Amino acid sequence: MFIHNKKLQYTVRVSEPNPVLATFMLEQFGGPDGELAAAMRYFTQGLAEDDPGRKDLLLDIATEELSHLEIIGSIVAMLNKGAKGKMSEGTLEEAELYMDIAKSASTPTQQIVYGGGPSVTNSAGVPWSGAYVDSRGEPTVDLRSNIAAEARAKIVYERLINITDDAGVKDALTFLMTREVAHQKSFEKALYAIENNFPPGKLPGHPDYSSLYVNTSQGEGDLQGPWNSGDEWDRIDDVVSAIPLGGGDGTASVSGLSRREKKDLKETAVRTMSDPTRNPTTGTDLGAGPGTGRTKEVPQEG
């Protein structure tokens, strides 16, 4: 059950309207790394969590993310105040209004449909999607995803801070950015409170491959470090000679086909077999023009 407190978690002081900046701010309202996505991610995890400590943590942070959604939405609304009044009261002539919206680089949808309020979209106007919620119901997976999500959101806030000189907006964004840092710390503590938290899940990896590094990108720029070399790794550099791993002939096959299925597959293969000795004249040959490259020579009529 939720009870809304009318006070924001952090005071929003916007110096002057700026619809352009408001559009950028929508990235943290309805974008993939925004506050709505974070709240839904942590709520879905918390509702399914059986561990009382993690459940409490997830629901606390999920609820706080909704308060952050309120803060960023309030920033958007304040930055749009000037445009909202112009749209509502029609104080500009038609041409002037068109030019004013175009000059602001603010999306017409944000002004016309939402009246200057925050739209549940990212900064490009793409609607928020439940696909942003990547919960898996396995704490060692979800907590790692949450750590990464907080890190991504922190970087987005940094970039938003860097594109504005509005001291009040910078102050509120710095608060939101810093809370991403605090949440990341909490999620890391929760992850490492689980003994044997790596690899994720219950099933162990196969010992032949869990310490194997395959050097598949070779050439200038090949480097070695603790991520691919040393006592912790078995390294393969001659990849072609080393495969297939695990034995076998390196092909794909299926067993257990019925006699009818085998017959159908054989007939399909015969019917669709290509003839490498033929070089038919095709539409490319007939319509070839400059820049086509080499094509079959077609006899000219007459």
Side-chain angles (χ1 to χ4, degrees):
M1 177 178 180
F2 291 89
I3 299 176
H4 179 256
N5 187 318
K6 291 181 175 58
K7 289 185 179 180
L8 296 173
Q9 188 185 19
Y10 197 83
T11 304
V12 173
R13 301 180 183 90
V14 174
S15 299
E16 59 184 3
N18 188 337
V20 179
L21 186 58
T23 300
F24 287 128
M25 293 295 152
L26 287 174
E27 197 61 42
Q28 287 301 81
F29 194 81
D33 298 318
E35 302 295 352
L36 179 59
M40 295 303 101
R41 181 183 298 112
Y42 308 148
F43 268 126
T44 56
Q45 293 172 20
L47 293 173
E49 182 60 72
D50 293 320
D51 181 86
R54 287 195 300 270
K55 189 179 191 73
D56 184 45
L57 168 68
L58 289 162
L59 295 179
D60 279 341
I61 295 182
T63 306
E64 186 182 356
E65 300 292 15
L66 286 180
S67 77
H68 295 174
L69 185 72
E70 186 178 27
I71 292 172
I72 198 75
S74 297
I75 294 173
V76 172
M78 296 303 104
L79 289 170
N80 274 326
K81 281 297 183 184
K84 179 179 180 179
K86 294 172 186 176
M87 291 292 296
S88 298
E89 300 305 317
T91 53
L92 296 179
E93 296 294 330
E94 180 180 27
E96 292 178 313
L97 193 55
Y98 287 160
M99 290 179 63
D100 193 65
I101 294 175
K103 181 177 64 176
S104 75
S106 177
T107 61
T109 299
Q110 190 178 349
Q111 303 303 333
I112 296 171
V113 178
Y114 292 92
S119 56
V120 190
T121 68
N122 69 5
S123 56
V126 178
W128 186 86
S129 170
Y132 300 155
V133 180
D134 54 2
S135 304
R136 293 295 179 268
E138 161 56 50
T140 60
V141 173
D142 287 339
L143 288 169
R144 284 186 168 86
S145 177
N146 298 350
I147 292 165
E150 296 292 325
R152 291 193 301 269
K154 197 263 186 184
I155 295 302
V156 175
Y157 274 124
E158 279 193 24
R159 292 171 180 171
L160 290 173
I161 289 168
N162 289 336
I163 64 172
T164 179
D165 293 325
D166 189 311
V169 173
K170 277 182 176 286
D171 181 58
L173 293 180
T174 299
F175 168 77
L176 293 172
M177 179 194 71
T178 306
R179 294 306 298 153
E180 309 294 347
V181 176
H183 293 167
Q184 183 171 335
K185 289 165 61 178
S186 292
F187 286 136
E188 288 206 8
K189 291 293 185 181
L191 173 63
Y192 287 97
I194 302 172
E195 191 175 3
N196 298 327
N197 63 70
F198 185 84
K202 179 179 179 181
L203 297 178
H206 194 292
D208 290 352
Y209 312 124
S210 57
S211 297
L212 182 66
Y213 186 86
V214 184
N215 183 23
T216 53
S217 175
Q218 300 185 8
E220 187 177 355
D222 242 11
L223 295 173
Q224 295 189 19
W227 55 86
N228 64 9
S229 303
D231 294 339
E232 297 174 43
W233 296 104
D234 298 319
R235 182 182 171 99
I236 294 179
D237 289 297
D238 188 356
V239 179
V240 174
S241 297
I243 59 174
L245 300 175
D249 60 5
T251 62
S253 61
V254 57
S255 58
L257 291 172
S258 68
R259 182 177 300 178
R260 177 58 184 269
E261 288 170 330
K262 291 178 180 178
K263 181 176 180 295
D264 289 343
L265 287 170
K266 184 175 181 180
E267 290 178 355
T268 300
V270 171
R271 179 172 55 82
T272 60
M273 183 178 296
S274 61
D275 183 355
T277 65
R278 293 186 64 220
N279 184 13
T281 301
T282 66
T284 301
D285 301 314
L286 294 171
T292 305
R294 287 191 287 269
T295 59
K296 182 181 179 181
E297 188 171 331
V298 180
Q300 300 294 318
E301 294 183 1

